[in-house]
Amino acid sequence: MDKKSIKGLFVLLLTCLVIFAGCGKSKNKGPLVESDAPSKVYVEPGKYDEFYAFVSGGFSGQLAVYGLPSGRLLRVVPVFSQNPENGWGYTEETKPMLNTSYGFVPWDDSHHSELSMKDGVPDGRWLFINGNNTPRIARVNLSTFRTEEIIEIPNSAGNHSSPFVTPGTEYVVAGTRFSIPVENRDVPIESYKENFKGTLSFLKVNPSSGEMDIAFQLITPGFDYDLSHAGKGPSDGWFFFSCYNSEQSYSLLEVNASQKDKDFILAVNWKKIEELVAKGVGKEMAASYVHNVYDDKKHSGTSETRKSVKVLYPNDVEGALYYMPCPKSPHGADVDPTGEFIVGGGKLATVIPVFSFSKMTKAINEKKFDGDVEGIPVLKYEEVLAGEVQQPGLGPLHTEFDDKGYAYTSMFVSSEIVKWKVDTREVVDRLPVYYSVGHLLIPGGDSKKPWGKYLVSMNKITKDRFLPTGPELSQSSQLIDISGDKMKLLLDFPTVGEPHYAQAIPADLISKNSLKIFKIEENAHPYGIKSEKDARVERKGNEVHVYMSAIRSHLTPDNIEGVKVGDDVYFHMTNLEQDWDIPHGFTIMGNQNSELLVMPGETCTIKWTPKAPGIYPYYCTDFCSALHQEMQGYMRVSDKNSSVQIKFNSNQGK
Amino acid sequence: MIAKKSRILLLIICLTLIAVYFLPVWDISLEAPQYPEGLGFQIWLGKMSGDLNTVNGLNHYIGMKKIEPDSMSELKIMPFILGVLILSGIAVSLIGKKKFLYVWIVFFILLGVAGGIDFWKWEYEYGHDLNPTAAIKVPGMTYQPPLIGTKTLLNFTAHSYPAEGGIILIAGGIISVLVGAYEFKKSKKQT
């Protein structure tokens, strides 16, 4: 071979390599987006997104707020986990919020966010989110974007099928993923069938304050209750809980809880139970659980322990509980906007079962039962089934709905979103997602009136979707346009923690109520001050209380003496500003705690115990003004036995 | 005697002036990029409203005095003076003597001029009397807001314009003068 042909061969080889390499790459990158996708997600500087999306933080324990369609992260609201960035769970005021019957718990696993509803439609007042590990429900106020209440659920483990609400937010529910002995006690694990029970708690929500109170708890057979949704329209008054592990296994569940073809969706007639409870049915059981409430006038949380809970057994509420067989190990239990259809997401099933509420009531009336489980009648599958979606894909998990009669189901195993027609159960479109979607959301997608413009697929596996960041990657979400016949991928964006369920709502339902400042004249904090003149330092035994004011651009007092080693120093800082977005921060050298981040008109407290004599500088941590860097002070700490008296300056007349 | 239609018009002016008690008289607004929501305050007959605290907070950088409505004597006497103007105007309208009308119009004009001078003087002191220990000092810079109009003060554009109450006062004054002129012309013709 001459030189020229060798060269030619080499070029050919190289070309092939490039082509094949190109093929290999493009295979993983999915379909190209359409040319108008950028303009559909581009929100001009200074313009706002169309929707707020409230995305559960999963193992972050928090709640992330995104704008749609831009996918911009607007804020992370601390809920169940300490957040040193703003002192949540570190300040004296917020520590009670993370109190539980187990003591102070700094973290949880927050799975599902649910907006409060009015007439079956999200109203933008509150958002509920569950703590899965140490069973709790939190309520976030959507005018302050702050966690305002956390209530613990007794007799529960793995608060997973929670916190879904009834159409008028009459109740928010909490169902157990883990069955455990009710009145938890030391028993052999082998005694599962005998001793372990599930519980489904119904918490009454106060219509004006939003405060939650456990109205009753249903003690149910020892299955794993996974997800739930309330009925609406014709099915209003009912609640549907999916459950798996009807095998009641307690070890190697991946095999042992996957043996039966069908598990169940438990239909609960809560209106009927409510009537029975009003008549005095049920008994009070001793329990110990906390109820934590944050008051945004006192700027403080309080934690109280409650000592009893009303429990009901299936035989107390005859005619109110029915099991519907559901293939296989169902996750989602999702009710369509009309309230007639209940969709089970059997994650190991090969079909998506769609149940009919009217058939269900007919089957109940005609007693079309197939035996019972611990006194709860099991309805015949074919008597309650509207139909099945055939060959939908693999691993159906969760279904949401649009406003045109279509359902969208996430397929974890086949990594796609499947669109199907609710009344005919016919698949009309499918779109691959990257990779392995868990939950999905459509604004208002579990309500009576979905805003069916976008769908967000919250994927469990990220791999190569973004620039790599070492072994640990953020989760990936994908925004999909569902306004037309075909779903169209618009945007990828990374999310905080590991999102599970999420909800979205038109922005104006929330933005119009958003608070800008706390009014200083309404500040009712016991250590708050309304003017710089009241700034002072007081000693009470070995406690030192610093009533500090912050206003651009000085802290008062900014010289403090007479503090001794071992004193418990409480810095109560009041931000006297009444101007939007002028927070002040506070920290002191060697602080073994978080900083404070104090909003205008608010008072926050951090505790600090100096361990050695010396001079300790403190300063404002939030760049507040042109003279922010001057916003500082010194504290002198003296020896335990020193005779230095408390002394501070007032900055008055300067 | 004043013509009937002039007396009715005078009465209407006086009754309309009552509205000034319930409306802001002057509006001072400040514009800067970091205040997209707007910033400013309003002067009423007997009080001030708006973002006084914020304005005071900002002004301390350049050493301006705090605006403290409680210490302004004008806010205490203005409601009283307007009351005198209205009641005397009604009396003039009922009595109907031309001389009284002319005196009343002069009184009205004098009040307006005095108010303007007082306001300008307050603005002058407010803008010039700066604390020598202020953090920000711009050589030669003073911060007197305009009496009426728009002016740039450091990073702010300040607007000062009559508000609803002020517009009523000015319009009332102008119409009164026109009524006076009409009556004066009429009496000249008659002689």
Side-chain angles (χ1 to χ4, degrees):
Chain A
M1 240 191 267
D2 59 12
K3 255 189 183 171
K4 209 173 171 186
S5 59
I6 289 176
K7 204 174 163 188
L9 202 69
F10 185 72
V11 169
L12 190 73
L13 203 78
L14 205 71
T15 313
C16 289
L17 259 173
V18 167
I19 290 169
F20 282 118
C23 287
K25 271 258 160 69
S26 69
K27 207 169 78 184
N28 275 345
K29 284 295 176 188
L32 288 170
V33 295
E34 293 191 17
S35 59
D36 62 347
S39 65
K40 284 186 171 167
V41 300
Y42 182 68
V43 177
E44 276 177 62
K47 294 281 194 305
Y48 297 136
D49 277 294
E50 210 178 327
F51 294 95
Y52 281 98
F54 295 95
V55 180
S56 65
F59 47 59
S60 85
Q62 316 295 47
L63 170 73
V65 186
Y66 297 86
L68 299 179
S70 72
R72 295 185 292 194
L73 175 64
L74 303 177
R75 179 148 175 72
V76 177
V77 179
V79 182
F80 293 111
S81 298
Q82 281 181 299
N83 187 38
E85 182 182 323
N86 70 351
W88 179 256
Y90 291 93
T91 66
E92 294 303 300
E93 291 83 1
T94 56
K95 277 199 268 186
M97 296 304 289
L98 301 187
N99 187 35
T100 72
S101 65
Y102 304 89
F104 181 85
V105 173
W107 170 90
D108 212 320
D109 186 12
S110 59
H111 276 226
H112 312 120
S113 47
E114 171 95 336
L115 291 157
S116 58
M117 293 205 210
K118 191 169 179 253
D119 304 323
V121 182
D123 62 6
R125 293 180 76 188
W126 307 303
L127 181 131
F128 299 92
I129 186 163
N130 64 325
N132 190 55
N133 183 49
T134 304
R136 285 172 289 173
I137 296 178
R139 183 173 53 82
V140 175
N141 180 330
L142 293 180
S143 72
T144 58
F145 279 61
R146 285 195 173 174
T147 305
E148 197 168 72
E149 185 183 7
I150 296 181
I151 188 166
E152 194 178 354
I153 312 296
N155 298 323
S156 173
N159 177 33
H160 198 272
S161 42
S162 180
F164 300 97
V165 300
T166 52
T169 320
E170 295 90 348
Y171 290 95
V172 54
V173 302
T176 50
R177 171 197 164 172
F178 293 99
S179 284
I180 50 164
V182 165
E183 289 192 289
N184 203 356
R185 59 196 182 275
D186 174 13
V187 296
I189 295 171
E190 287 132 43
S191 69
Y192 186 102
K193 281 191 179 158
E194 180 194 335
N195 285 323
F196 288 40
K197 295 286 172 202
T199 60
L200 306 176
S201 307
F202 282 70
L203 291 82
K204 190 91 193 147
V205 179
N206 183 307
S208 58
S209 69
E211 274 193 32
M212 296 175 279
D213 182 31
I214 301 175
F216 55 87
Q217 216 170 36
L218 299 166
I219 312 292
T220 52
F223 305 156
D224 293 30
Y225 295 85
D226 202 18
L227 279 169
S228 58
H229 261 108
K232 49 172 117 36
S235 55
D236 187 12
W238 289 79
F239 227 106
F240 304 95
F241 292 85
S242 62
C243 50
Y244 62 100
N245 193 21
S246 53
E247 295 86 351
Q248 294 195 290
S249 75
Y250 47 86
S251 157
L252 199 65
L253 264 64
E254 69 167 305
V255 176
N256 295 332
S258 306
Q259 294 306 301
K260 291 191 179 171
D261 279 352
K262 291 194 176 65
D263 293 282
F264 298 111
I265 286 178
L266 176 60
V268 177
N269 187 338
W270 60 264
K271 279 233 167 102
K272 186 165 192 169
I273 296 171
E274 190 180 50
E275 284 162 21
L276 291 169
V277 168
K279 282 182 194 153
V281 174
K283 64 163 188 155
E284 290 293 328
M285 179 186 274
S288 181
Y289 58 102
V290 303
H291 179 228
N292 308 330
V293 179
Y294 190 84
D295 178 329
D296 65 13
K297 298 284 180 283
K298 290 182 180 158
H299 303 292
S300 301
T302 46
S303 178
E304 58 150 20
T305 300
R306 294 187 172 173
K307 289 290 180 191
S308 116
V309 61
K310 182 172 295 277
V311 296
L312 297 152
Y313 288 85
N315 57 8
D316 295 328
V317 293
E318 213 172 299
L321 303 178
Y322 298 93
Y323 277 120
M324 297 196 284
C326 180
K328 176 179 182 179
S329 299
H331 194 59
D334 303 299
V335 182
D336 87 311
T338 68
E340 163 64 8
F341 297 110
I342 303 116
V343 180
K347 58 186 183 272
L348 305 178
T350 52
V351 296
I352 301 172
V354 180
F355 300 98
S356 154
F357 178 73
S358 51
K359 283 185 84 174
M360 185 192 92
T361 41
K362 190 161 173 267
I364 291 170
N365 289 336
E366 293 170 4
K367 297 202 181 328
K368 298 272 174 67
F369 301 147
D370 201 356
D372 71 290
V373 179
E374 298 182 27
I376 301 174
V378 177
L379 295 161
K380 286 197 169 125
Y381 181 61
E382 48 296 343
E383 296 295 335
V384 291
L385 190 73
E388 292 169 339
V389 182
Q390 297 297 329
Q391 296 177 324
L394 296 172
L397 276 188
H398 172 220
T399 302
E400 293 246 297
F401 306 88
D402 70 10
D403 46 352
K404 298 176 216 75
Y406 293 98
Y408 300 78
T409 302
S410 60
M411 299 286 170
F412 178 82
V413 178
S414 54
S415 188
E416 60 187 334
I417 307 287
V418 172
K419 176 181 178 181
W420 50 276
K421 205 159 189 313
V422 176
D423 54 5
T424 62
R425 269 85 58 195
E426 154 204 14
V427 173
V428 295
D429 192 22
R430 50 180 76 235
L431 185 79
V433 286
Y434 302 86
Y435 303 91
S436 299
V437 54
H439 282 272
L440 51 79
L441 88 80
I442 291 168
D446 72 340
S447 76
K448 266 185 173 171
K449 285 186 185 140
W451 292 273
K453 187 169 181 186
Y454 301 113
L455 180 151
V456 178
S457 165
M458 284 160 286
N459 307 324
K460 296 295 186 191
I461 293 169
T462 305
K463 294 200 170 176
D464 62 348
R465 295 306 288 180
F466 305 113
L467 284 174
T469 54
E472 197 171 337
L473 305 170
S474 62
Q475 310 278 312
S476 138
S477 279
Q478 296 188 290
L479 182 76
I480 293 159
D481 177 358
I482 56 165
S483 58
D485 290 340
K486 290 275 170 197
M487 295 181 277
K488 290 175 190 165
L489 177 62
L490 296 177
L491 179 76
D492 280 18
F493 61 99
T495 50
V496 173
E498 188 216 351
H500 294 254
Y501 190 46
Q503 293 211 319
I505 182 170
D508 59 338
L509 287 175
I510 292 196
S511 58
K512 63 175 190 225
N513 299 323
S514 200
L515 198 72
K516 289 193 169 92
I517 58 160
F518 296 104
K519 288 186 180 148
I520 188 74
E521 62 269 22
E522 290 175 8
N523 182 320
H525 192 291
Y527 292 96
I529 51 177
K530 298 218 165 46
S531 140
E532 204 170 301
K533 293 184 200 97
D534 303 323
R536 62 191 186 275
V537 181
E538 285 176 2
R539 175 180 283 285
K540 279 183 198 156
N542 73 334
E543 282 185 9
V544 176
H545 292 271
V546 182
Y547 297 72
M548 184 176 284
S549 72
I551 191 159
R552 284 165 288 176
S553 301
H554 54 281
L555 299 164
T556 306
D558 64 2
N559 283 188
I560 302 171
E561 298 190 11
V563 171
K564 295 173 194 173
V565 169
D567 279 345
D568 285 332
V569 183
Y570 293 89
F571 293 100
H572 310 285
M573 188 165 104
T574 302
N575 181 349
L576 294 176
E577 305 281 355
Q578 290 290 278
D579 196 359
W580 188 21
D581 196 24
I582 309 287
H584 291 294
F586 176 83
T587 193
I588 186 161
M589 189 170 76
N591 174 23
Q592 289 180 291
N593 216 331
S594 80
E595 70 152 349
L596 291 177
L597 187 65
V598 190
M599 296 303 123
E602 189 186 23
T603 304
C604 300
T605 303
I606 205 89
K607 184 184 164 188
W608 176 66
T609 308
K611 289 180 177 152
I615 296 294
Y616 291 83
Y618 52 88
Y619 67 99
C620 170
T621 51
D622 183 289
F623 201 107
C624 54
S625 66
L627 296 164
H628 159 73
Q629 208 65 350
E630 283 73 11
M631 201 164 169
Q632 63 169 53
Y634 287 110
M635 176 172 275
R636 173 184 173 191
V637 175
S638 306
D639 189 66
K640 237 186 179 111
N641 307 315
S642 128
S643 60
V644 180
Q645 292 300 302
I646 290 287
K647 193 176 138 195
F648 58 93
N649 62 350
S650 68
N651 287 330
Q652 292 299 302
K654 280 185 192 171
Chain B
M1 290 298 280
I2 314 172
K4 199 176 176 192
K5 52 184 176 185
S6 297
R7 286 167 68 174
I8 292 170
L9 198 55
L10 183 60
L11 192 66
I12 291 171
I13 291 169
C14 289
L15 295 177
T16 312
L17 287 179
I18 295 172
V20 179
Y21 282 99
F22 309 101
L23 293 167
V25 175
W26 216 263
D27 183 74
I28 295 183
S29 61
L30 299 163
E31 263 179 55
Q34 55 281 58
Y35 286 90
E37 73 276 22
L39 182 66
F41 57 92
Q42 294 80 40
I43 302 166
W44 300 56
L45 267 193
K47 65 170 184 180
M48 292 173 101
S49 66
D51 311 307
L52 273 186
N53 284 334
T54 309
V55 172
N56 283 336
L58 290 169
N59 288 350
H60 99 277
Y61 290 119
I62 47 176
M64 288 169 88
K65 279 205 174 125
K66 272 193 177 176
I67 306 172
E68 282 169 316
D70 289 348
S71 65
M72 290 182 178
S73 52
E74 288 91 338
L75 297 178
K76 292 192 183 79
I77 58 170
M78 276 189 337
F80 176 74
I81 292 176
L82 184 71
V84 170
L85 182 72
I86 292 171
L87 290 176
S88 58
I90 293 172
V92 170
S93 146
L94 294 178
I95 296 164
K97 281 204 173 167
K98 272 193 187 167
K99 259 189 191 160
F100 289 170
L101 175 68
Y102 300 146
V103 172
W104 185 78
I105 290 169
V106 170
F107 176 46
F108 199 162
I109 293 169
L110 283 179
L111 275 184
V113 172
I117 291 173
D118 184 68
F119 184 44
W120 182 87
K121 215 176 124 233
W122 172 77
E123 284 186 327
Y124 180 88
E125 279 166 16
Y126 177 58
H128 285 80
D129 182 13
L130 304 175
N131 187 335
T133 66
I136 298 174
K137 275 183 257 183
V138 182
M141 185 74 190
T142 57
Y143 305 97
Q144 181 180 0
L147 184 62
I148 182 161
T150 295
K151 191 176 168 189
T152 303
L153 301 169
L154 291 187
N155 58 326
F156 283 98
T157 307
H159 307 279
S160 170
Y161 288 101
E164 295 91 324
I167 290 168
I168 292 176
L169 274 173
I170 293 169
I174 291 170
I175 297 169
S176 299
V177 169
L178 291 176
V179 168
Y182 169 77
E183 289 297 328
F184 186 69
K185 225 174 165 184
K186 209 176 61 176
S187 57
K188 259 198 165 173
K189 257 185 201 166
Q190 278 168 359
T191 50

